[in-house]
Amino acid sequence: MSTQSTPTNVVIVLGTRPEIIKFAPVIRECLDREVPFTLVHTGQHYSPDLDEVFFDQLELPAPDVHLGVGSDSHGKQTAAMLEGVEEVLFDVEPDVVLVQGDTNSTLAGALAAAKLNIEVGHIEAGLRSFDREMPEETNRVVVDHIADYLFTPTSETREYLEREGLSDRIFVTGNTVVDAAHQYADVAAEKSTVLDELGLEPGEFYLLTAHRAENVDQLDRFTSLLDGVAQFADETGREVVYPIHPRAQSRIDAFDLEVPDAIRLVEPLDFLDFLRLESTAALAFTDSGGVQEETCILGTPCVTLRYTTERPETVYVGANCLAGLDPVDIVDAGRQMLGKRPDWDVPFGDGRAAERILDRLTAPTSPTAGAIPAETPQ
Ligand code: UD1
Ligand code: UDP
């Protein structure tokens, strides 16, 4: 890839835990190259253990602007972010706005910029679950179609974008989650004391995360998911650690749901502690996008508690299995994945995604004027 030649004034919009983590390598790359940027936090996530802890641990600069939007219905939350980001864009007049992933913050950042004819770069473009009931799927599709730079992680996601007629703006970079995992997995192994704190032996526990609206907001689905994981834990004599997302906790409280004994709820963890659990669990059960990717990267077999995934590469390489929510299927999937040798190839790149993104953004030509430098990092 070319080295930088033109400084670019960037606005970075983020708002949730996974965006903070996956933007961290990009922010670091901007700092290293002295590319001017304005960091805008929408405030979609605000609980310290979903927000501040990551700024501290990943040594990120404090946001330049905090919109303080908080939780609300999709329309109200997105509208408040849209209004707030637009104000910043009037003020800063950036060359490009960068957004990451598929949250409401991603949508608001991209839409505010596109309406002002400011270029949009979408990091982690091209993912598709083909399930429009997921709010994230709508966000992904809309953002990809209004973005000028589609920084897509894999050849699979490039194909999805090509099929949607977006070939002239695709840049295959790998996923910045690989950059983050590479940068922090060894530090986690060295510094994290979470195994001792929770009294866990490597390879002797399962990790669970579940927070998706379509799973935890419906009592029957949430119950089914917990029962399936607990049955597998009972059958195999291991316990399950579930760092609980506040959305899931609020549903447990509202439903007055009794969590099975085999599942231990703990507070959301910081990145190093979470990486440590991901690396040492016998198996991960999840509905998270980032966890499907990270377990694949770290060599831990994964069972996904959903019927679709926008990360099919993890299934193709044998790192992940789509179980759905029926307890029988969850137990079957657990049996299939437990003890699986992690000899798969990681499909999300080589840990240099942020570097490629910055190379592209600071290159002298406009993204739509030239050929696609679709460097594939696999
Ligand atoms: C959002 C994203 C989802 C992503 C997840 C990452 C959308 C549509 N969803 O889901 O794609 O996987 O973030 O974790 O953008 N809450 C708190 N503290 C917080 C944030 C939320 O207590 O800091 C609680 C509130 O009760 C809130 C609920 O969680 O109503 C849901 O929060 P919200 O930001 O709407 O969606 P997430 O489920 O976090
Ligand atoms: N994560 C974390 N602590 C936790 C749970 C998750 O640091 O207790 C990290 C995890 O390593 C991954 C990201 O959060 O990088 C995934 O975020 P989440 O599951 O909230 O969202 P999704 O990826 O599903 O959008």
Side-chain angles (χ1 to χ4, degrees):
M1 281 297 247
S2 63
T3 53
Q4 85 165 83
S5 55
T6 312
T8 300
N9 186 15
V10 181
V11 163
I12 292 171
V13 180
L14 49 70
T16 66
R17 170 168 70 187
E19 291 161 75
I20 301 166
I21 291 168
K22 288 175 170 176
F23 253 129
V26 176
I27 293 171
R28 192 152 307 111
E29 197 68 27
C30 287
L31 290 168
D32 287 351
R33 297 187 191 208
E34 298 182 354
V35 171
F37 67 92
T38 304
L39 187 56
V40 181
H41 193 319
T42 64
Q44 179 171 351
H45 283 177
Y46 46 86
S47 299
D49 51 13
L50 261 70
D51 176 20
E52 263 172 52
V53 69
F54 298 102
F55 279 88
D56 291 346
Q57 196 167 55
L58 304 179
E59 297 178 65
L60 299 175
D64 298 291
V65 182
H66 200 298
L67 302 177
V69 166
S71 306
D72 214 321
S73 63
H74 285 274
K76 282 186 182 160
Q77 187 185 53
T78 310
M81 294 174 188
L82 194 53
E83 198 178 339
V85 175
E86 188 180 61
E87 284 293 318
V88 178
L89 300 184
F90 282 140
D91 193 30
V92 176
E93 299 182 354
D95 300 311
V96 62
V97 172
L98 283 183
V99 294
Q100 195 285 333
D102 53 20
T103 70
N104 289 346
S105 298
T106 317
L107 176 65
L111 199 50
K115 289 281 185 180
L116 295 177
N117 290 325
I118 296 168
E119 286 185 337
V120 176
H122 185 201
I123 299 174
E124 205 178 75
L127 276 64
R128 297 287 181 272
S129 67
F130 303 102
D131 175 4
R132 285 290 177 98
E133 283 185 24
M134 294 178 69
E136 292 85 0
E137 184 74 354
T138 304
N139 294 345
R140 289 178 197 121
V141 172
V142 173
V143 174
D144 282 339
H145 282 259
I146 58 178
D148 301 278
Y149 303 83
L150 298 171
F151 297 117
T152 201
T154 69
S155 45
E156 181 84 20
T157 50
R158 172 173 58 189
E159 277 171 35
Y160 292 153
L161 292 168
E162 284 170 349
R163 270 186 248 154
E164 293 177 23
L166 300 170
S167 302
D168 63 345
R169 59 203 62 195
I170 304 171
F171 306 93
V172 181
T173 57
N175 195 313
T176 60
V177 75
V178 182
D179 310 24
H182 282 185
Q183 284 162 18
Y184 287 97
D186 288 346
V187 186
E190 197 186 313
K191 291 197 173 160
S192 169
T193 53
V194 70
L195 293 174
D196 285 345
E197 282 162 33
L198 296 178
L200 298 168
E201 287 293 325
E204 291 304 323
F205 67 95
Y206 305 126
L207 178 63
L208 167 64
T209 79
H211 72 278
R212 294 277 170 186
E214 64 274 16
N215 278 350
V216 303
D217 286 3
Q218 294 177 47
L219 177 59
D220 55 339
R221 293 174 75 114
F222 200 4
T223 308
S224 184
L225 170 170
L226 293 172
D227 285 349
V229 175
Q231 278 175 32
F232 183 70
D234 289 338
E235 175 184 299
T236 52
R238 292 188 177 93
E239 77 166 326
V240 181
V241 179
Y242 181 5
I244 190 141
H245 188 288
R247 174 190 281 274
Q249 183 64 64
S250 76
R251 295 296 88 201
I252 287 176
D253 297 342
F255 295 141
D256 202 12
L257 202 159
E258 203 162 309
V259 176
D261 288 343
I263 298 178
R264 175 157 37 135
L265 302 188
V266 299
E267 295 298 312
L269 297 169
D270 65 34
F271 192 46
L272 292 186
D273 285 350
F274 192 75
L275 279 177
R276 187 75 185 130
L277 290 196
E278 276 183 309
S279 307
T280 55
L283 198 58
F285 293 90
T286 196
D287 62 8
S288 157
V291 175
Q292 289 175 67
E293 293 161 347
E294 285 168 355
T295 49
C296 178
I297 295 162
L298 298 169
T300 300
C302 181
V303 171
T304 293
L305 305 167
R306 290 172 42 189
Y307 294 97
T308 60
T309 179
E310 59 293 316
R311 275 95 173 165
E313 301 89 343
T314 57
V315 178
Y316 301 154
V317 300
N320 186 14
C321 169
L322 271 187
L325 296 174
D326 187 319
V328 173
D329 297 331
I330 294 171
V331 171
D332 275 353
R335 288 179 190 145
Q336 187 189 318
M337 296 306 288
L338 186 63
K340 190 156 185 157
R341 279 196 30 215
D343 53 4
W344 52 77
D345 292 327
V346 173
F348 298 116
D350 56 5
R352 293 174 50 220
E355 196 182 310
R356 290 190 182 87
I357 290 165
L358 263 292
D359 279 348
R360 185 59 244 168
L361 286 177
T362 55
T365 52
S366 111
T368 47
I372 307 162
E375 183 172 317
T376 309
Q378 283 86 36

